[in-house]
Amino acid sequence: MKTIISISIAVLVGLGVAIGGSQSGSTLDGLPVFLLCGILAFAVNWLVYIPANNYQTEKYYDLTGSLTYLTVIAIACLFSGPLDARSALVALMVVIWALRLGSFLFRRISADGKDARFDKIKVNPLRFFLTWTLQGTWVALTAASALVIITTETRLPIDIFAIIGLTMWVAGFAIEIIADNQKSQFRADRKNAGRFITTGLWAWSRHPNYFGEILLWTGITVASLPLLVGWQWVTIISPIFVIFLLTKVSGIPMLAKAGQKKWGDEPEYKDYIQRTPKLVPRPPKA
């Protein structure tokens, strides 16, 4: 029963934001394009869930997440009014981000063979369905600011909000890529097997990739601010949701628990935790 309730809440929240973001937006035969994108966010994941559940595999979970972003952005661009510079740039940025993240995560799980988080979940069809539903909610909420920029009928020239927002996105995207590449190179070195990274951006923050992720979605929300009216303001949930997800749910807490279990008794790990910020980077102490 709890799982069914969780599924219902996830769907209602995702579609609720899509409905709010649809105000003053483009429509397709009377259906708001933003709402259509919200529906598709769930539909794509539910469709892929069918074979995934049949074979009890999570291998294509992250790849499906990226595919969902690409789908909703493509539909938003296709059925909205003529795109201006702001909306075209934002659409391009989300596409670039989704392609990069999807390929990165798919290569990682292909190399690892599995995602341990799904070991107990994928054998339970209802709980497994919940994870795919939550991914639909993740897409609907995270992409909300981008979708409102693309689907709104209000078009404004590039202004200070767009410049600041796009600059934040570029910085966040660069930080995320650099951090991920540094960690991949660290893991590729056999002498680092089973160890934790403390070099590069990881000397500045224990989770620099998450900081980059938060920064880039916040940038898109900043770019959307001059366009928002009425219920469209609900779309500022985008970076708030990303922050909540990464700092309170599936990101930092899970990694912190795993790290404590592996290296919690090691003085070197304790020192790293004490001297390195959890999220927001700062120069390492001498």
Side-chain angles (χ1 to χ4, degrees), residues 81-104:
L83 302 183
D84 61 355
R86 188 193 313 252
S87 54
L89 283 171
V90 166
L92 179 61
M93 290 189 299
V94 176
V95 168
I96 292 173
W97 171 86
L99 289 173
R100 204 289 303 187
L101 184 65
S103 59
F104 171 79

Side-chain angles (χ1 to χ4, degrees), residues 80-271:
S80 297
L83 302 183
D84 61 355
R86 188 193 313 252
S87 54
L89 283 171
V90 166
L92 179 61
M93 290 189 299
V94 176
V95 168
I96 292 173
W97 171 86
L99 289 173
R100 204 289 303 187
L101 184 65
S103 59
F104 171 79
L105 294 178
F106 183 70
R107 288 195 305 270
R108 188 175 69 180
I109 195 172
S110 296
D112 295 343
K114 69 171 186 176
D115 187 333
R117 297 175 302 172
F118 288 86
D119 287 348
K120 295 181 179 179
I121 296 175
K122 63 186 177 184
V123 297
N124 184 315
L126 194 58
R127 288 185 63 196
F128 198 34
F129 181 70
L130 172 61
T131 63
W132 291 87
T133 300
L134 289 173
Q135 183 158 254
T137 306
W138 169 59
V139 173
L141 268 57
T142 306
S145 290
L147 288 173
V148 81
I149 292 173
I150 297 169
T151 63
T152 184
E153 294 185 337
T154 302
R155 300 300 188 197
L156 298 176
I158 295 295
D159 54 17
I160 188 62
F161 288 94
I163 293 172
I164 292 175
L166 299 182
T167 300
M168 291 173 66
W169 186 92
V170 171
F173 189 61
I175 290 171
E176 188 171 44
I177 290 178
I178 293 170
D180 284 341
N181 287 343
Q182 288 176 341
K183 194 167 190 178
S184 294
Q185 292 173 9
F186 177 84
R187 287 179 170 178
D189 191 334
R190 292 183 178 180
K191 71 179 181 181
N192 295 325
R195 304 307 301 158
F196 53 94
I197 183 172
T198 61
T199 56
L201 290 180
W202 301 86
W204 292 58
S205 166
R206 303 204 302 268
H207 303 282
N209 53 336
Y210 289 164
F211 175 77
E213 181 81 352
I214 291 170
L215 184 60
L216 70 86
W217 287 114
T218 302
I220 291 180
T221 297
V222 169
S224 76
L225 294 180
L227 306 173
L228 303 182
V229 295
W231 283 104
Q232 286 181 327
W233 281 95
V234 74
T235 59
I236 65 171
I237 195 175
S238 172
I240 297 173
F241 175 73
V242 174
I243 293 170
F244 175 75
L245 186 67
L246 294 180
T247 63
K248 301 297 182 181
V249 185
S250 65
I252 293 176
M254 292 181 66
L255 291 176
K257 184 177 180 180
Q260 188 64 30
K261 185 177 180 180
K262 286 183 179 179
W263 312 294
D265 295 330
E266 297 184 20
E268 184 181 355
Y269 183 72
K270 291 179 180 179
D271 179 65

